[in-house]
Amino acid sequence: MPKRDIVVIGASAGGVPALLKLVAGLPAGLPAAVFVVIHMRPGHDSQLPELLSQRGPLPAVHAIHGEAIVPGRIYVGPMDNHLMLRFGYMHVARGPKENGHRPSVDALFRTAARAYGPRVVAVVLTGHGDCGTAGLMSVRARGGVGVVQDPEEAMAPDMPRHALRLAAPEHVAPLEQIPALIARLVREAGPAGPQAIGTVSRDVMELEGDELGVRAEAVCPLCQGVLTRSEVNGHESYRCHVGHAFSLGSMAYEQAESVERALWSAVRALEESASLAHRLSGRSEI
């Protein structure tokens, strides 16, 4: 019976203090590898591995592309790169943003589910928006276990609230109880065997981008590529052919940003035309 030896944790707003509290409660010698993605603005050096190493008994490092996975360590998604899992090693790449984020919680959860199936424990912590919901659906579809921080105590309750409502996690707990819950889950035997990808429902595969959804009546707000739409348990998602992915909420936000950019571009063009017309009107030979 396979052990649950892959723990993936996702957070956004309020995630640093939550993670520091969580890792402080993890036991030394945890027989699992822990992977962390937290949404942060790019452009500055992240000291998160050092902070996590100081706070808890498990050493934490930034994930390195192609590095083998070792139990008893914490791997942190590096700034402005996705942390994704393959069987036995990590894949770190500057791929298309998902829900406007890189690294993306959904990308970590989804690839962990594909590589390790029922061996995965996925934890959604505090954060704005609904990132993590789609990834948790992938984990649950392949026999993994979902854990969500109690939204009532989260600094930013949106991420855990959406995950709780739409992804049907097995466990909801306050932050102080999650370390002991993780320790218990990784020592339990998982299901008898991983679900083959062919047994995963088509709507989940559409959510993950392995199957095409229905054509959306919009283009990708980031690259203007063709968008397809999928829906699982009321969670709508959009994905373009190069890999940009959006929930309904993040799609609305990016579309609003795209409209504002287009409006200011139109204002600039009109002002430039007016300036040229003014200059032309002052030339006597015209």
Side-chain angles (χ1 to χ4, degrees):
M1 301 285 279
K3 297 291 186 180
R4 297 187 177 105
D5 55 357
I6 300 292
V7 179
V8 291
I9 302 173
S12 187
V16 171
L19 282 167
L20 292 175
K21 186 173 182 180
L22 189 155
V23 301
L26 292 176
L30 184 75
V34 180
F35 303 87
V36 171
V37 159
I38 183 168
H39 296 151
M40 290 184 175
R41 291 183 178 273
H44 65 276
D45 292 333
S46 171
Q47 304 300 314
L48 186 57
E50 290 83 353
L51 294 173
L52 297 178
S53 296
Q54 293 168 7
R55 187 60 63 94
L58 302 180
V61 296
H62 275 124
I64 297 175
H65 179 70
E67 185 176 10
I69 295 171
V70 178
R73 292 187 185 179
I74 300 172
Y75 298 97
V76 178
M79 196 67 63
D80 206 27
N81 282 267
H82 289 307
L83 169 56
M84 297 173 284
L85 301 190
R86 305 291 186 259
F87 191 79
Y89 69 97
M90 291 168 285
H91 182 85
V92 178
R94 198 170 182 270
K97 291 182 178 180
E98 300 194 22
N99 289 322
H101 299 294
R102 188 175 52 223
S104 161
V105 174
D106 284 334
L108 171 62
F109 284 17
R110 179 178 67 249
T111 55
R114 286 172 171 169
Y116 289 98
R119 294 166 60 179
V120 177
V121 177
V123 183
V124 177
L125 300 179
T126 174
H128 294 307
D130 53 6
C131 299
T133 297
L136 189 54
M137 287 177 173
S138 293
V139 171
R140 295 281 292 105
R142 291 175 172 81
V145 177
V147 178
V148 172
Q149 182 183 4
D150 185 349
E152 297 302 319
E153 61 138 40
M155 185 180 298
D158 290 350
M159 276 177 57
R161 183 177 293 143
H162 278 94
L164 177 59
R165 182 168 60 90
L166 299 173
E170 288 84 352
H171 303 278
V172 182
L175 184 63
E176 64 180 10
Q177 296 179 13
I178 292 179
L181 177 59
I182 291 173
R184 176 172 66 82
L185 289 172
V186 300
R187 287 182 168 86
E188 292 178 352
Q195 290 179 268
I197 192 167
T199 66
V200 177
S201 65
R202 181 183 174 87
D203 56 355
V204 171
M205 296 183 73
E206 289 179 0
L207 182 72
E208 297 173 341
D210 291 328
E211 295 283 351
L212 288 178
V214 298
R215 180 79 173 262
E217 296 177 352
V219 298
C220 176
L222 298 181
C223 71
Q224 285 69 58
V226 175
L227 277 178
T228 58
R229 180 179 63 84
S230 60
E231 183 174 345
V232 181
N233 295 339
H235 178 75
E236 283 191 47
S237 65
Y238 297 80
R239 186 178 295 272
C240 75
H241 65 283
V242 301
H244 293 120
F246 313 89
S247 67
L248 181 60
S250 65
M251 180 66 178
Y253 172 81
E254 292 291 349
Q255 283 285 55
E257 291 289 298
S258 179
V259 168
E260 182 171 355
R261 288 192 295 268
L263 288 173
W264 284 115
S265 179
V267 169
R268 173 193 55 76
L270 289 170
E271 288 183 345
E272 290 174 353
S273 296
S275 176
L276 287 172
H278 179 72
R279 290 177 65 84
L280 286 170
S281 67
R283 295 176 66 93
S284 59
E285 64 271 21
I286 299 300

